[in-house]
Amino acid sequence: QVQLVESGGGLVQPGGSLRLSCVASGSIFSIDAMGWYRQAPGKQRELVAGITRGGDTNYADSVKGRFTISRDNAKKTVYLQMNSLKPEDTAVYYCKTVVITTSFVRSDYWGQGTQVTVSS
């Protein structure tokens, strides 16, 4: 019914930048909140940043001031701009959307994950 496709991950040196994208498609009536999560090896998945339909944002303390989440509702896309990257940012990053489908069912959907590695 709904599919999320992520892109933009890769290998970057400390202090560098990456921009992640997540595009939603399928039987979508509307999209509510969107967010980015990350999971490092042996660790639990954690919230990195979230954004409401109206554009209100929240960030984990560890990324505040360095990361920016944004969305383009017309393109059904959420972005995560990551600046001043640190080795501790290394993880698989997942996007999540809260979707109201064309059947008027509200559900969470997850992207496939994209690897971000910060290393010199």
Side-chain angles (χ1 to χ4, degrees):
Q1 295 293 107
V2 177
Q3 186 174 16
L4 274 57
V5 178
E6 301 179 27
S7 62
L11 175 64
V12 65
Q13 293 187 351
S17 298
L18 286 172
R19 191 193 195 204
L20 307 183
S21 299
C22 176
V23 182
S25 62
S27 302
I28 299 171
F29 177 77
S30 65
I31 300 176
D32 198 349
M34 308 178 83
W36 288 94
Y37 295 71
R38 67 187 181 188
Q39 188 166 22
K43 305 294 184 181
Q44 294 188 177
R45 189 172 299 185
E46 65 175 349
L47 175 67
V48 176
I51 184 167
T52 70
R53 179 173 176 82
D56 294 329
T57 60
N58 65 283
Y59 298 91
D61 288 341
S62 59
V63 307
K64 191 173 296 183
R66 300 187 296 120
F67 291 10
T68 303
I69 187 171
S70 61
R71 63 190 289 168
D72 185 330
N73 290 334
K75 297 182 182 296
K76 299 182 178 66
T77 301
V78 61
Y79 306 94
L80 186 67
Q81 179 67 47
M82 304 185 294
N83 298 327
S84 302
L85 283 161
K86 304 175 180 180
E88 50 263 46
D89 296 318
T90 296
V92 178
Y93 284 70
Y94 299 88
C95 66
K96 187 189 81 171
T97 65
V98 182
V99 173
I100 301 173
T101 70
T102 53
S103 299
F104 303 105
V105 175
R106 188 175 186 271
S107 302
D108 295 348
Y109 291 89
W110 290 87
Q112 81 281 6
T114 184
Q115 177 71 48
V116 172
T117 303
V118 185
S119 177
S120 58

